[in-house]
Amino acid sequence: MAEAVDSLSSIKDLNVKAAAPQAPATAKIDKLGRAYGTGRRKTATARVWVKRGTGKIIINGKDQTEYFARPVLRLMIKQPLEAAKRETEVDVICTVAGSGLTGQAGAVRHGIARALVNFEPELRLAMRPQKLLTRDPRAVERKKYGKAKARRSFQFSKR
């Protein structure tokens, strides 16, 4: 491995040689033809199954329009399907718990993206640039001792 390096281009060639060949990713599909993904946001957790179908999205036994009444939340959960161009090709069944509706919509979006990648590994390239596979780490800060809230102090009085 002690090869002489003459220029920057030869360093680049060394890195290419040293990189291990990637094994082709395989789909993780169960015997019912479904792929699974877990999504999380704030304190919400979504368990998502994706299978071939007509584009139905069912959340906690209800249709998406019934569960997420706000159009913004429905747009949010459709983002991974639109990025993958699979809006009318797959059905999504999911159970979600914890947090509020916004946190749950974020968890469902994250779960759908992960399940789609398990269903078709080549979709990772479509999901990555939009950061759909990245868990949003923002959460509520805890309340500290001696404070009114997480950072808010009690009213100060000189006398």
Side-chain angles (χ1 to χ4, degrees):
M1 189 89 179
E3 298 175 25
V5 178
D6 298 331
S7 66
L8 289 175
S9 62
S10 60
I11 291 174
K12 193 187 316 180
D13 294 337
L14 282 175
N15 288 340
V16 170
K17 290 176 191 172
Q22 290 283 337
T26 56
K28 297 175 184 166
I29 300 173
D30 65 6
K31 59 183 171 256
L32 298 174
R34 304 175 304 180
Y36 175 77
T38 303
R40 291 188 182 91
R41 170 81 173 94
K42 294 186 176 182
T43 57
T45 303
R47 299 181 305 155
V48 181
W49 289 269
V50 172
K51 64 179 182 176
R52 292 263 177 243
T54 58
K56 288 188 296 183
I57 299 176
I58 296 169
I59 301 153
N60 288 351
K62 296 180 182 179
D63 188 56
Q64 64 166 340
T65 53
E66 197 178 332
Y67 195 83
F68 291 121
R70 282 187 275 172
V72 174
L73 299 179
R74 290 197 301 270
L75 283 174
M76 203 168 144
I77 64 172
K78 286 182 183 174
Q79 281 179 338
L81 296 169
E82 290 168 357
K85 296 179 178 66
R86 301 284 189 274
E87 299 99 326
T88 59
E89 296 176 24
V90 293
D91 286 346
V92 176
I93 296 123
C94 118
T95 57
V96 63
S99 195
L101 285 178
T102 306
Q104 288 185 354
V108 170
R109 180 177 79 166
H110 187 224
I112 290 172
R114 289 174 107 181
L116 280 172
V117 168
N118 286 339
F119 197 64
E120 295 178 52
E122 59 274 5
L123 292 178
R124 178 176 284 278
L125 297 172
M127 303 285 178
R128 262 290 163 223
Q130 296 183 24
K131 298 192 174 21
L132 295 171
L133 297 172
T134 306
R135 186 204 188 281
D136 190 347
R138 295 176 296 165
V140 177
E141 191 174 344
R142 78 172 195 86
K143 182 195 174 300
K144 276 75 166 188
Y145 171 76
K147 297 279 188 177
K149 293 167 73 174
R151 294 180 181 222
R152 169 109 169 80
S153 296
F154 295 108
Q155 185 173 352
F156 176 74
S157 174
K158 202 167 194 176
R159 292 175 240 282

